[in-house]
Amino acid sequence: MPQPEAAQHRSESKPRWTERLHGLGPVIGLVLLCIAGTLLNSDFATVDNAMNVLTRTAFIGIIAVGMCFVIISGGIDLSVGSMAALIAGSVIMFINWAGPASGSPLMAVVMGAVLAVVLGALFGLAHGLLITKGRIEPFIVTLGTLGIFRAYLTYFADGGALTLDNDLSDLYAPVYYASLAGIPVPVWVFVIVAIIGGVILNRTAYGRYVQAIGSNEQVARYAAVDVDRVKILTYVLLGVCVGIATLLYVPRLGSASPTTGLLWELEAIAAVIVGGTALKGGAGSITGTVVGAILLSVISNILNLTSIISVYLNAAVQGFVIIIVAFLQRGRR
């Protein structure tokens, strides 16, 4: 190869390798954390602990898949934790009413699960309309609904907790506690949601539009992309993910209180950013988001098993992770 061509080849291949190494960063970090966890506590590298970590990851992971679309499009949603809490309370109230009223407890549980997804989609639709048609910044809209959702749950619960009736709770329990082929149901749902999210983002025109809008919204408009419609669908998709996560969460405790879903938005956003998605939008991956969600759960699990620092500082650790990763992303779009 002539010298000028070789020099050009080196200059072109360098950023490619740098980008590839950057994409492997979350995976490398997860592997190193697993090695550290194994060395610090022998209980870490057990199947039961791995299933426990993945099950706990499922709720945030499913929400993070939807959050990934929103952040890639250049938006943000600070209300997902409060949204999940209000959906959980509404579903519990509905099932408690529909069980005796319909005479079929099983049908009441099924309708409650459907209601969770429908409510999530409606809340997401409201966010999308306010942001696109109302021309209000996503930060302001979702900051406002963060307070609205949690206040309504507190009102419905009269400051206490909404609890699922015992018989209905037993009927609903397998949705969280059952396993298929030794793997908990929430983990299966998480895997399915992640695969569907990856296909939508990478294999559909809608996914390409989401990335184009996050990269340069004005250019996307010039390219005849229906920006408002894509953005609305993005928030609806996130709402559906919150609804799915909530219908899995309700049978875990069978109750919802003003503290339900607290800081879930922080964990979901952290999972997306740690997974390599650019905070300013335009680039990201579902695979990275899944790895980021698992990585954060592993950090929490190691803290619980080793008592290196107080578990009460877990949110602080996630906050530091967000700031550090955002600092490292300064030069990226």
Coordinates of all heavy atoms in Angstrom, one line a residue, residues 132-223:
T132 N -44.8 18.4 22.1 CA -44.7 18.7 20.6 C -45.8 19.8 20.3 O -45.4 20.8 19.7 CB -45.0 17.4 19.8 OG1 -46.3 16.9 20.2 CG2 -43.9 16.4 20.0
K133 N -47.0 19.6 20.7 CA -48.0 20.6 20.3 C -48.0 21.8 21.2 O -48.3 22.9 20.8 CB -49.4 19.9 20.3 CG -49.5 18.6 19.5 CD -49.2 18.9 18.0 CE -49.3 17.7 17.2 NZ -48.9 17.9 15.8
G134 N -47.7 21.5 22.5 CA -47.7 22.6 23.5 C -46.4 23.4 23.5 O -46.3 24.4 24.1
R135 N -45.4 22.8 22.8 CA -44.1 23.5 22.7 C -43.5 23.8 24.1 O -43.0 24.8 24.4 CB -44.1 24.8 21.9 CG -44.7 24.6 20.5 CD -43.8 23.7 19.7 NE -44.4 23.5 18.4 CZ -44.0 22.5 17.5 NH1 -43.0 21.7 17.9 NH2 -44.5 22.4 16.3
I136 N -43.6 22.8 25.0 CA -43.0 22.9 26.3 C -41.8 21.9 26.4 O -41.9 20.8 25.9 CB -44.0 22.5 27.4 CG1 -45.3 23.4 27.2 CG2 -43.5 22.8 28.8 CD1 -46.4 23.0 28.2
E137 N -40.8 22.4 27.1 CA -39.6 21.5 27.2 C -39.9 20.2 27.9 O -40.6 20.3 28.9 CB -38.5 22.3 28.0 CG -37.9 23.4 27.2 CD -37.1 23.0 26.0 OE1 -36.4 21.9 26.1 OE2 -37.2 23.6 24.9
P138 N -39.3 19.1 27.5 CA -39.6 17.8 28.1 C -39.2 17.9 29.6 O -40.0 17.3 30.4 CB -38.6 16.9 27.4 CG -38.4 17.5 26.1 CD -38.5 19.0 26.3
F139 N -38.2 18.6 30.0 CA -37.8 18.7 31.4 C -38.9 19.3 32.2 O -39.2 18.8 33.3 CB -36.5 19.5 31.5 CG -36.1 19.8 32.9 CD1 -35.3 18.9 33.6 CD2 -36.4 21.0 33.5 CE1 -35.0 19.2 34.9 CE2 -36.0 21.3 34.8 CZ -35.3 20.4 35.5
I140 N -39.5 20.4 31.7 CA -40.6 21.0 32.5 C -41.8 20.2 32.6 O -42.5 20.0 33.6 CB -40.9 22.4 31.8 CG1 -39.7 23.3 31.8 CG2 -42.1 23.1 32.5 CD1 -39.1 23.6 33.1
V141 N -42.2 19.6 31.4 CA -43.5 18.8 31.4 C -43.4 17.6 32.4 O -44.3 17.4 33.2 CB -43.7 18.2 30.0 CG1 -44.8 17.2 30.0 CG2 -44.1 19.4 29.0
T142 N -42.3 16.9 32.3 CA -42.2 15.7 33.1 C -41.8 16.0 34.6 O -42.2 15.2 35.5 CB -41.1 14.7 32.5 OG1 -39.8 15.4 32.4 CG2 -41.5 14.2 31.2
L143 N -41.2 17.2 34.8 CA -41.0 17.6 36.2 C -42.4 17.9 36.8 O -42.6 17.6 38.0 CB -40.1 18.8 36.2 CG -39.7 19.3 37.6 CD1 -38.9 18.3 38.4 CD2 -38.9 20.6 37.5
G144 N -43.3 18.5 36.0 CA -44.6 18.8 36.5 C -45.4 17.6 36.8 O -46.0 17.4 37.9
T145 N -45.4 16.6 35.9 CA -46.2 15.4 36.0 C -45.6 14.5 37.1 O -46.3 13.7 37.7 CB -46.3 14.6 34.7 OG1 -45.0 14.4 34.2 CG2 -47.1 15.4 33.7
L146 N -44.3 14.7 37.4 CA -43.7 13.9 38.5 C -44.4 14.2 39.8 O -44.8 13.3 40.5 CB -42.2 14.3 38.6 CG -41.4 13.7 39.7 CD1 -39.9 13.6 39.3 CD2 -41.4 14.5 41.0
G147 N -44.7 15.5 40.0 CA -45.4 15.9 41.2 C -46.9 15.5 41.1 O -47.5 15.1 42.1
I148 N -47.5 15.7 40.0 CA -48.9 15.4 39.8 C -49.2 13.9 40.0 O -50.1 13.6 40.8 CB -49.4 15.8 38.4 CG1 -49.3 17.4 38.2 CG2 -50.8 15.4 38.1 CD1 -49.5 17.9 36.8
F149 N -48.4 13.1 39.4 CA -48.7 11.6 39.5 C -48.6 11.2 41.0 O -49.5 10.5 41.5 CB -47.7 10.8 38.7 CG -47.9 11.0 37.2 CD1 -46.8 10.9 36.3 CD2 -49.1 11.2 36.7 CE1 -46.9 11.0 35.0 CE2 -49.3 11.3 35.3 CZ -48.2 11.2 34.4
R150 N -47.5 11.6 41.7 CA -47.3 11.1 43.0 C -48.4 11.7 44.0 O -48.8 11.1 45.0 CB -45.9 11.4 43.5 CG -45.5 10.6 44.7 CD -44.0 10.6 44.9 NE -43.2 9.9 43.9 CZ -43.1 8.6 43.8 NH1 -43.7 7.8 44.7 NH2 -42.4 8.1 42.8
A151 N -48.8 13.0 43.7 CA -49.8 13.6 44.6 C -51.1 12.9 44.5 O -51.8 12.7 45.5 CB -49.9 15.1 44.2
Y152 N -51.5 12.5 43.2 CA -52.7 11.8 43.1 C -52.7 10.4 43.7 O -53.7 10.0 44.3 CB -53.1 11.7 41.6 CG -54.0 12.8 41.1 CD1 -53.4 13.8 40.4 CD2 -55.3 12.8 41.4 CE1 -54.2 14.9 40.0 CE2 -56.1 13.9 41.0 CZ -55.5 14.9 40.3 OH -56.3 16.0 39.9
L153 N -51.6 9.7 43.7 CA -51.5 8.5 44.4 C -51.6 8.7 45.9 O -52.4 7.9 46.6 CB -50.1 7.8 44.1 CG -49.9 6.5 44.9 CD1 -50.9 5.4 44.6 CD2 -48.4 6.0 44.8
T154 N -51.0 9.7 46.4 CA -51.1 10.0 47.8 C -52.5 10.3 48.2 O -53.0 9.9 49.3 CB -50.2 11.2 48.2 OG1 -48.8 10.9 47.8 CG2 -50.1 11.4 49.7
Y155 N -53.2 11.0 47.3 CA -54.6 11.4 47.6 C -55.5 10.1 47.6 O -56.3 9.9 48.5 CB -55.1 12.4 46.5 CG -56.6 12.6 46.5 CD1 -57.1 13.4 47.5 CD2 -57.4 12.1 45.5 CE1 -58.5 13.7 47.5 CE2 -58.8 12.3 45.5 CZ -59.3 13.1 46.5 OH -60.7 13.4 46.5
F156 N -55.3 9.3 46.6 CA -56.1 8.0 46.5 C -55.9 7.1 47.7 O -56.8 6.4 48.1 CB -55.8 7.3 45.2 CG -56.3 8.0 43.9 CD1 -55.6 7.9 42.7 CD2 -57.5 8.7 44.0 CE1 -56.0 8.6 41.6 CE2 -57.9 9.4 42.8 CZ -57.2 9.3 41.6
A157 N -54.6 7.1 48.1 CA -54.2 6.2 49.3 C -54.5 6.9 50.6 O -54.2 6.3 51.7 CB -52.8 5.8 49.2
D158 N -55.0 8.2 50.6 CA -55.2 9.0 51.8 C -54.0 9.0 52.7 O -54.0 8.9 53.9 CB -56.4 8.3 52.6 CG -57.0 9.3 53.6 OD1 -56.8 10.5 53.4 OD2 -57.6 8.8 54.6
G159 N -52.8 9.2 52.0 CA -51.6 9.3 52.7 C -51.0 8.0 53.2 O -49.8 8.0 53.7
G160 N -51.7 6.9 53.0 CA -51.2 5.6 53.4 C -50.8 4.7 52.3 O -50.0 5.1 51.4
A161 N -51.3 3.5 52.2 CA -51.0 2.6 51.1 C -52.3 1.9 50.6 O -53.2 1.7 51.4 CB -50.0 1.5 51.7
L162 N -52.3 1.6 49.3 CA -53.3 0.8 48.7 C -52.9 -0.6 48.6 O -51.8 -0.9 48.1 CB -53.6 1.4 47.3 CG -54.2 2.8 47.2 CD1 -54.1 3.4 45.8 CD2 -55.6 2.8 47.7
T163 N -53.7 -1.5 49.1 CA -53.3 -2.9 49.2 C -54.2 -3.8 48.4 O -55.5 -3.7 48.5 CB -53.2 -3.4 50.7 OG1 -52.4 -2.5 51.4 CG2 -52.7 -4.8 50.8
L164 N -53.7 -4.8 47.7 CA -54.5 -5.7 47.0 C -55.1 -6.7 47.9 O -54.4 -7.2 48.9 CB -53.5 -6.4 46.0 CG -54.1 -7.1 44.7 CD1 -54.9 -6.1 43.9 CD2 -53.0 -7.8 43.9
D165 N -56.4 -7.1 47.7 CA -57.0 -8.1 48.6 C -56.3 -9.4 48.5 O -55.7 -9.8 47.5 CB -58.5 -8.3 48.1 CG -59.3 -7.0 48.4 OD1 -58.8 -6.2 49.2 OD2 -60.4 -6.9 47.8
N166 N -56.3 -10.1 49.7 CA -55.5 -11.3 49.8 C -55.7 -12.4 48.7 O -54.8 -12.9 48.1 CB -55.7 -12.0 51.2 CG -55.1 -11.2 52.3 OD1 -54.1 -10.4 52.0 ND2 -55.6 -11.3 53.5
D167 N -57.0 -12.7 48.4 CA -57.3 -13.7 47.4 C -56.8 -13.3 46.0 O -56.3 -14.1 45.3 CB -58.8 -14.0 47.4 CG -59.3 -14.6 48.7 OD1 -58.4 -15.2 49.4 OD2 -60.5 -14.6 48.9
L168 N -57.0 -12.0 45.7 CA -56.6 -11.5 44.4 C -55.1 -11.4 44.4 O -54.5 -11.6 43.3 CB -57.2 -10.1 44.2 CG -58.7 -10.0 44.1 CD1 -59.2 -8.6 44.2 CD2 -59.2 -10.7 42.8
S169 N -54.4 -11.1 45.5 CA -53.0 -11.0 45.5 C -52.4 -12.4 45.3 O -51.4 -12.6 44.5 CB -52.5 -10.5 46.9 OG -51.1 -10.5 47.0
D170 N -53.0 -13.5 45.8 CA -52.5 -14.8 45.6 C -52.6 -15.2 44.1 O -51.8 -15.9 43.5 CB -53.2 -15.8 46.5 CG -52.9 -15.6 47.9 OD1 -51.9 -15.0 48.3 OD2 -53.7 -16.1 48.8
L171 N -53.7 -14.8 43.5 CA -54.0 -15.1 42.1 C -53.0 -14.4 41.2 O -52.6 -14.9 40.1 CB -55.4 -14.7 41.8 CG -56.1 -15.2 40.5 CD1 -56.1 -16.8 40.6 CD2 -57.5 -14.7 40.3
Y172 N -52.6 -13.2 41.6 CA -51.7 -12.3 40.8 C -50.2 -12.7 41.0 O -49.3 -12.4 40.2 CB -51.9 -10.8 41.2 CG -51.5 -9.8 40.1 CD1 -52.0 -8.5 40.2 CD2 -50.7 -10.1 39.1 CE1 -51.6 -7.5 39.3 CE2 -50.3 -9.2 38.1 CZ -50.8 -7.9 38.3 OH -50.4 -6.9 37.4
A173 N -49.9 -13.3 42.1 CA -48.5 -13.5 42.5 C -47.6 -14.2 41.5 O -46.5 -13.9 41.3 CB -48.5 -14.3 43.8
P174 N -48.1 -15.3 40.8 CA -47.3 -16.0 39.8 C -46.6 -15.0 38.7 O -45.6 -15.4 38.2 CB -48.2 -17.0 39.2 CG -49.3 -17.2 40.2 CD -49.5 -15.9 40.8
V175 N -47.3 -13.9 38.5 CA -46.7 -13.0 37.4 C -45.3 -12.5 37.8 O -44.5 -12.3 37.0 CB -47.7 -11.8 37.2 CG1 -47.0 -10.7 36.3 CG2 -49.0 -12.2 36.7
Y176 N -45.1 -12.4 39.2 CA -43.8 -12.0 39.6 C -42.9 -13.2 40.1 O -41.8 -13.3 39.9 CB -43.9 -11.0 40.8 CG -42.5 -10.6 41.3 CD1 -41.7 -9.7 40.7 CD2 -42.1 -11.2 42.5 CE1 -40.5 -9.4 41.2 CE2 -40.8 -10.8 43.1 CZ -40.1 -9.9 42.4 OH -38.8 -9.6 42.9
Y177 N -43.6 -14.1 40.9 CA -42.8 -15.2 41.6 C -42.7 -16.5 40.8 O -41.8 -17.3 41.1 CB -43.5 -15.5 42.9 CG -43.4 -14.4 43.9 CD1 -44.5 -13.5 44.1 CD2 -42.3 -14.1 44.6 CE1 -44.4 -12.5 45.0 CE2 -42.2 -13.1 45.5 CZ -43.3 -12.3 45.7 OH -43.2 -11.2 46.6
A178 N -43.4 -16.7 39.7 CA -43.3 -17.9 38.9 C -42.0 -17.9 38.0 O -41.4 -16.9 37.8 CB -44.5 -18.1 38.0
S179 N -41.6 -19.1 37.6 CA -40.4 -19.2 36.7 C -40.8 -20.1 35.6 O -41.6 -21.0 35.6 CB -39.3 -19.9 37.5 OG -38.9 -19.0 38.6
L180 N -40.1 -19.9 34.5 CA -40.2 -20.7 33.3 C -38.7 -21.2 33.0 O -37.8 -20.4 32.8 CB -40.7 -19.9 32.1 CG -42.2 -19.5 32.2 CD1 -42.6 -18.6 31.0 CD2 -43.1 -20.7 32.3
A181 N -38.6 -22.5 32.9 CA -37.2 -23.1 32.7 C -36.2 -22.6 33.7 O -35.0 -22.4 33.4 CB -36.8 -22.8 31.3
G182 N -36.7 -22.4 34.9 CA -35.8 -22.0 36.0 C -35.4 -20.5 36.0 O -34.7 -20.0 36.8
I183 N -36.0 -19.7 35.0 CA -35.8 -18.3 35.0 C -37.1 -17.5 35.3 O -38.1 -17.8 34.8 CB -35.3 -17.9 33.5 CG1 -34.0 -18.6 33.2 CG2 -35.2 -16.4 33.4 CD1 -33.5 -18.4 31.8
P184 N -37.0 -16.6 36.3 CA -38.2 -15.9 36.7 C -38.9 -15.2 35.6 O -38.3 -14.7 34.6 CB -37.6 -14.8 37.7 CG -36.3 -15.5 38.2 CD -35.8 -16.2 37.0
V185 N -40.2 -15.1 35.7 CA -41.0 -14.5 34.6 C -40.6 -13.0 34.3 O -40.5 -12.7 33.1 CB -42.5 -14.5 35.0 CG1 -43.4 -13.7 34.1 CG2 -43.0 -16.0 35.0
P186 N -40.3 -12.2 35.3 CA -39.9 -10.8 35.0 C -38.7 -10.8 34.1 O -38.6 -9.9 33.3 CB -39.6 -10.2 36.4 CG -40.5 -11.0 37.3 CD -40.5 -12.4 36.8
V187 N -37.8 -11.7 34.3 CA -36.6 -11.7 33.4 C -36.9 -12.1 32.0 O -36.4 -11.5 31.1 CB -35.5 -12.8 34.0 CG1 -34.3 -12.8 33.1 CG2 -35.1 -12.4 35.4
W188 N -37.8 -13.0 31.8 CA -38.3 -13.4 30.5 C -38.9 -12.1 29.8 O -38.6 -11.8 28.6 CB -39.3 -14.5 30.5 CG -38.7 -15.9 30.7 CD1 -38.8 -16.7 31.7 CD2 -37.9 -16.6 29.7 NE1 -38.1 -17.9 31.5 CE2 -37.5 -17.8 30.3 CE3 -37.4 -16.3 28.4 CZ2 -36.7 -18.8 29.6 CZ3 -36.6 -17.2 27.8 CH2 -36.3 -18.4 28.4
V189 N -39.8 -11.4 30.5 CA -40.4 -10.3 30.0 C -39.4 -9.2 29.6 O -39.5 -8.5 28.6 CB -41.5 -9.7 31.0 CG1 -42.1 -8.4 30.4 CG2 -42.5 -10.7 31.3
F190 N -38.4 -9.0 30.5 CA -37.3 -8.0 30.2 C -36.6 -8.4 28.9 O -36.3 -7.5 28.1 CB -36.4 -8.1 31.4 CG -35.2 -7.1 31.3 CD1 -35.3 -6.0 30.5 CD2 -34.0 -7.4 31.9 CE1 -34.2 -5.1 30.4 CE2 -32.9 -6.6 31.8 CZ -33.0 -5.4 31.1
V191 N -36.3 -9.7 28.8 CA -35.6 -10.1 27.5 C -36.4 -9.8 26.3 O -35.9 -9.3 25.3 CB -35.2 -11.6 27.6 CG1 -34.7 -12.1 26.3 CG2 -34.2 -11.8 28.7
I192 N -37.7 -10.1 26.4 CA -38.6 -9.9 25.2 C -38.7 -8.5 24.9 O -38.6 -8.1 23.7 CB -40.0 -10.6 25.5 CG1 -39.9 -12.1 25.6 CG2 -41.0 -10.2 24.4 CD1 -41.1 -12.8 26.1
V193 N -38.9 -7.6 25.9 CA -39.0 -6.2 25.7 C -37.7 -5.6 25.1 O -37.8 -4.8 24.1 CB -39.3 -5.5 27.0 CG1 -39.2 -3.9 26.8 CG2 -40.7 -5.8 27.5
A194 N -36.6 -6.1 25.6 CA -35.3 -5.6 25.0 C -35.1 -6.0 23.6 O -34.6 -5.2 22.7 CB -34.1 -6.2 25.9
I195 N -35.5 -7.3 23.2 CA -35.3 -7.7 21.8 C -36.2 -6.9 20.9 O -35.8 -6.4 19.8 CB -35.7 -9.2 21.7 CG1 -34.6 -10.1 22.5 CG2 -35.8 -9.7 20.3 CD1 -34.9 -11.5 22.5
I196 N -37.5 -6.7 21.3 CA -38.4 -5.9 20.5 C -37.9 -4.5 20.4 O -37.9 -3.9 19.3 CB -39.8 -5.9 21.1 CG1 -40.4 -7.4 21.1 CG2 -40.8 -5.0 20.4 CD1 -41.8 -7.5 21.8
G197 N -37.4 -3.9 21.5 CA -36.9 -2.6 21.4 C -35.7 -2.5 20.5 O -35.6 -1.5 19.7
G198 N -34.8 -3.5 20.5 CA -33.6 -3.5 19.6 C -34.0 -3.6 18.2 O -33.5 -2.9 17.3
V199 N -35.0 -4.4 17.9 CA -35.5 -4.5 16.5 C -36.1 -3.2 16.0 O -35.9 -2.8 14.9 CB -36.5 -5.7 16.4 CG1 -37.2 -5.7 15.0 CG2 -35.9 -7.0 16.6
I200 N -37.0 -2.6 16.9 CA -37.6 -1.3 16.5 C -36.6 -0.2 16.2 O -36.6 0.5 15.3 CB -38.6 -0.9 17.6 CG1 -39.8 -1.8 17.7 CG2 -39.1 0.5 17.3 CD1 -40.7 -1.5 18.8
L201 N -35.6 -0.2 17.1 CA -34.6 0.9 17.0 C -33.6 0.7 15.8 O -33.3 1.7 15.1 CB -33.7 1.0 18.3 CG -32.7 2.1 18.3 CD1 -33.3 3.5 18.2 CD2 -31.8 2.0 19.6
N202 N -33.3 -0.5 15.5 CA -32.2 -0.8 14.5 C -32.8 -1.3 13.2 O -32.1 -1.2 12.2 CB -31.2 -1.8 15.0 CG -30.5 -1.3 16.3 OD1 -30.1 -0.2 16.4 ND2 -30.5 -2.2 17.3
R203 N -34.0 -1.8 13.1 CA -34.5 -2.4 11.9 C -35.7 -1.8 11.3 O -36.3 -2.3 10.4 CB -34.8 -3.9 12.2 CG -33.7 -4.7 12.7 CD -32.6 -4.9 11.7 NE -31.5 -5.7 12.2 CZ -30.3 -5.8 11.6 NH1 -30.1 -5.3 10.4 NH2 -29.3 -6.5 12.1
T204 N -36.2 -0.7 11.9 CA -37.4 0.0 11.3 C -37.1 1.4 11.0 O -36.2 2.1 11.5 CB -38.5 0.0 12.3 OG1 -38.2 0.8 13.5 CG2 -38.8 -1.5 12.8
A205 N -38.0 2.0 10.1 CA -37.8 3.4 9.7 C -38.0 4.3 10.9 O -37.4 5.3 11.0 CB -38.8 3.7 8.6
Y206 N -39.0 3.9 11.8 CA -39.2 4.7 13.0 C -38.0 4.8 13.8 O -37.7 5.9 14.3 CB -40.3 4.0 13.8 CG -40.5 4.6 15.2 CD1 -41.1 5.8 15.4 CD2 -40.0 3.8 16.3 CE1 -41.2 6.3 16.7 CE2 -40.1 4.3 17.6 CZ -40.7 5.6 17.8 OH -40.8 6.1 19.0
G207 N -37.2 3.7 14.0 CA -36.0 3.8 14.8 C -35.0 4.7 14.2 O -34.3 5.4 14.9
R208 N -34.9 4.7 12.8 CA -33.9 5.6 12.2 C -34.4 7.0 12.3 O -33.6 8.0 12.5 CB -33.8 5.2 10.7 CG -33.1 3.9 10.4 CD -32.8 3.7 9.0 NE -34.0 3.5 8.2 CZ -34.5 2.4 8.0 NH1 -34.0 1.3 8.5 NH2 -35.6 2.3 7.2
Y209 N -35.7 7.3 12.3 CA -36.2 8.6 12.5 C -35.9 9.1 13.9 O -35.5 10.3 14.1 CB -37.7 8.7 12.3 CG -38.1 8.4 10.9 CD1 -39.4 8.0 10.6 CD2 -37.3 8.6 9.8 CE1 -39.8 7.7 9.3 CE2 -37.7 8.4 8.5 CZ -38.9 7.9 8.2 OH -39.3 7.7 6.9
V210 N -36.0 8.3 14.9 CA -35.7 8.6 16.3 C -34.2 9.1 16.4 O -33.9 10.1 17.0 CB -36.0 7.5 17.2 CG1 -35.4 7.8 18.6 CG2 -37.4 7.2 17.3
Q211 N -33.3 8.3 15.8 CA -31.9 8.7 15.8 C -31.6 10.0 15.0 O -30.8 10.8 15.4 CB -31.1 7.5 15.3 CG -31.2 6.3 16.1 CD -30.5 5.1 15.5 OE1 -29.3 5.1 15.4 NE2 -31.2 4.1 15.2
A212 N -32.3 10.1 13.9 CA -32.1 11.3 13.1 C -32.6 12.6 13.8 O -31.9 13.6 13.8 CB -32.9 11.2 11.7
I213 N -33.7 12.5 14.5 CA -34.3 13.6 15.2 C -33.3 14.0 16.4 O -33.0 15.2 16.6 CB -35.7 13.3 15.8 CG1 -36.7 13.2 14.6 CG2 -36.1 14.4 16.8 CD1 -38.0 12.7 15.0
G214 N -32.8 13.0 17.1 CA -31.9 13.3 18.2 C -30.6 13.9 17.7 O -29.9 14.7 18.4
S215 N -30.2 13.5 16.5 CA -28.9 14.0 15.9 C -29.0 15.4 15.4 O -28.2 16.3 15.7 CB -28.5 13.1 14.7 OG -27.2 13.6 14.2
N216 N -30.1 15.7 14.7 CA -30.3 17.1 14.3 C -31.8 17.2 13.9 O -32.2 16.8 12.8 CB -29.4 17.4 13.1 CG -29.5 18.9 12.8 OD1 -30.5 19.6 12.8 ND2 -28.3 19.5 12.5
E217 N -32.6 17.8 14.7 CA -34.1 17.9 14.5 C -34.4 18.7 13.3 O -35.3 18.3 12.5 CB -34.7 18.4 15.8 CG -36.2 18.5 15.7 CD -36.9 18.9 16.9 OE1 -36.4 18.6 18.0 OE2 -38.0 19.6 16.9
Q218 N -33.7 19.8 13.1 CA -34.0 20.7 12.0 C -33.7 19.9 10.6 O -34.6 20.0 9.7 CB -33.1 21.9 12.0 CG -33.7 23.1 11.2 CD -35.0 23.5 11.7 OE1 -35.3 23.5 12.9 NE2 -35.9 23.9 10.8
V219 N -32.6 19.2 10.5 CA -32.3 18.5 9.3 C -33.4 17.4 9.1 O -33.8 17.1 8.0 CB -30.9 17.8 9.4 CG1 -30.7 16.9 8.3 CG2 -29.8 18.9 9.4
A220 N -33.8 16.8 10.2 CA -34.8 15.7 10.1 C -36.1 16.3 9.5 O -36.8 15.7 8.7 CB -35.1 15.1 11.4
R221 N -36.5 17.5 9.9 CA -37.7 18.2 9.4 C -37.5 18.5 7.9 O -38.4 18.2 7.1 CB -37.9 19.5 10.1 CG -38.4 19.3 11.5 CD -38.8 20.7 12.1 NE -39.1 20.6 13.6 CZ -40.3 20.2 14.1 NH1 -41.3 19.9 13.2 NH2 -40.5 20.1 15.4
Y222 N -36.3 18.9 7.5 CA -36.0 19.2 6.1 C -36.1 17.9 5.3 O -36.4 17.9 4.1 CB -34.7 19.8 5.9 CG -34.6 21.2 6.4 CD1 -33.4 21.7 6.9 CD2 -35.7 22.1 6.3 CE1 -33.3 23.1 7.4 CE2 -35.6 23.4 6.8 CZ -34.4 23.9 7.3 OH -34.4 25.2 7.7
A223 N -35.8 16.7 5.9 CA -35.9 15.4 5.2 C -37.3 14.8 5.3 O -37.5 13.6 5.0 CB -34.9 14.5 5.9

